[in-house]
Each structure stands twice: as C-alpha cells, then as structure tokens.
Amino acid sequence: MRGALSRDGEPDRASLPCTSVPESSCLTAVRASYDTVAAAYAERVLRPSELDPFSRGMLAAFAETVRRSALGPVADLGCGPGYVTAHLAGLGLPVFGVDLSAGMVEPARRAHPDLRFVQSSMTALGVGDGVLGGILAWYSTHHTPPAELPLLFAGFQRTLAPGGHLLWGCHIGDEQRRLTRAYGHPVSYAWHLLPVERVAGLLERAGLRVVARLVQEPDEQSPRPCACLLACKA
C-alpha cells in the first residue's frame, strides 16, 4: 500500500467503520481487530517521509489547497497512530485525527500531545454542517462495504464547508477479501477494493467534484495499483 504500506507489506492503514449507528457487529469487529494490532501497526506502517514521492506530493498539494482556502479545521479520518496527522500539521494545517480504535488513538495522543485525537467512527464525528475546511481519507475507507459508501461520502459533503476539499487515497481494484490475520495477530474484517472510476462517480453523486486524480501502477512498494482523488465541495 503506497499511502499506508507497512514495512512487511501488510495492506491496512485505517480503523474505520463499515456501518452507521447503531453499531453493527462488523464495526465492532473492526475496532477489536485494530485494538489488537495497534502496537505492531504503529511499528511497521510507513511514515510520511517513507512514502513514494507521488503520495507525498498529493498530501502536499492537499495541504496547500486547504491552507489557502482557510475555511476551517481538517479531519484526518482513520488517523491510526497519527503520523500523517502530524505531517499535515507540519505543513501548516489546523488538523485533528479521528480513529475508531482506542489502541490507535491513545499512542497518537502520547506521541503528539499538541494535536487533538478523537476516538470515533467517521460516521459519528459530532461535527456540524459546513464546519470542516478539509477531510483526509487516506487508505481508510476500504473496510466500508461499497453499498454504504454513498452514505459515507454524503457525510463528508455535509461536514465540509463550501469550497472545502477531500483527499481520498486507497488501493484500487475489483475484489473483496475477508482477512483473519494481519501484523501477526488474528483479525476479523473485510477489505473492499473498487475501481477508481466507481469511487469518483460516488463522490460526484455525493456533491464532491473531483478536481484531480493520480493513479499509480504496482511497483516494489505496492503490489496493487493505488489512486488518489482530490474533490471539492461546491
């Protein structure tokens, strides 16, 4: 995974929900899985400085775009141990991190006491309409069933201010996997890969206009193709 590849090739970055309130067994399983692997994940996941130059470039472009607009804070959804959250803060963004897993959020708070980290799902942010200047969903929506992405993206659109931007990044493809082991620990969650055009279409239908995209072919860092989409709320 380019945006979130671990040093041993594990594919998962974010601990995010796969359904909305009330909490489902799927969401509970994702949380428990990431609580279990949190320490190993924090050790193995790539830091922003270790990402490929294209991924770093997309993060920098997102940061500059949002910083210039000065519309409001930025939410890093599925922030994990907070490495990318801190990277965006270093690029001048008023950013906070959100993660479903307490095992992820607690070390993020210890490592970055100057930043705010919230344990919550991306569908229950407690953020009002039009509040956010930006949203980062960086390798963090792949546990969400495709049928629930329209609701998820509608929530992104609702919380973004007019002119606010979303940066979405993930592996792309056309498959679903059920994982039972990751980072040397037992887990229980599904992993959904979608074609980039399908994701772009869902964002557009949610009222988020795609203004830039990057598609990367597999290479030595990532065994699967990856994509980034930068979208804007009108």
Side-chain angles (χ1 to χ4, degrees), residues 56-77:
R56 294 198 309 272
M58 288 298 289
L59 288 170
F62 169 71
E64 181 176 350
T65 300
V66 175
R67 189 174 63 246
R68 286 183 174 182
S69 66
L71 293 172
V74 174
D76 178 10
L77 302 183

Side-chain angles (χ1 to χ4, degrees), residues 1-15 34 37 41 44-46 138-143 169-172 175 177-185 187 189-193 221-226:
M1 178 178 296
R2 277 190 186 82
L5 186 69
S6 68
R7 294 182 178 85
D8 58 358
E10 292 287 352
D12 299 284
R13 171 183 185 265
S15 34
Y34 277 96
V37 305
Y41 179 92
R44 299 179 190 180
V45 72
L46 295 182
W138 191 250
Y139 291 79
S140 60
T141 62
H142 50 279
H143 297 315
C170 203
H171 284 118
I172 54 175
E175 64 173 299
R177 297 173 58 198
R178 171 66 61 177
L179 300 185
T180 59
R181 195 163 186 84
Y183 302 98
H185 296 276
V187 297
Y189 48 63
W191 188 40
H192 307 275
L193 298 186
Q221 191 179 87
S222 174
R224 294 178 174 83
C226 306

Side-chain angles (χ1 to χ4, degrees), residues 17 19-21 27 98 118-127 152 158:
T19 179
S20 57
V21 179
L27 183 60
V98 179
V118 179
Q119 183 192 355
S120 180
S121 79
M122 65 168 70
T123 56
L125 294 177
V127 174
L152 181 65
R158 178 187 63 80

Side-chain angles (χ1 to χ4, degrees), residues 145-155 202 205-206:
E148 299 189 17
L149 285 175
L151 178 62
L152 181 65
F153 292 161
L202 291 172
R205 286 193 286 277

Side-chain angles (χ1 to χ4, degrees), residues 70-149:
L71 293 172
V74 174
D76 178 10
L77 302 183
C79 64
Y83 301 144
V84 178
T85 318
H87 179 69
L88 292 180
L91 294 175
L93 293 185
V95 61
F96 65 96
V98 179
D99 203 284
L100 183 64
S101 164
M104 294 288 190
V105 168
E106 290 167 4
R109 289 170 174 165
R110 290 195 298 269
H112 309 288
D114 54 326
L115 298 177
R116 183 165 67 97
F117 293 93
V118 179
Q119 183 192 355
S120 180
S121 79
M122 65 168 70
T123 56
L125 294 177
V127 174
D129 295 0
V131 169
L132 299 176
I135 291 175
L136 178 68
W138 191 250
Y139 291 79
S140 60
T141 62
H142 50 279
H143 297 315
T144 305
E148 299 189 17
L149 285 175

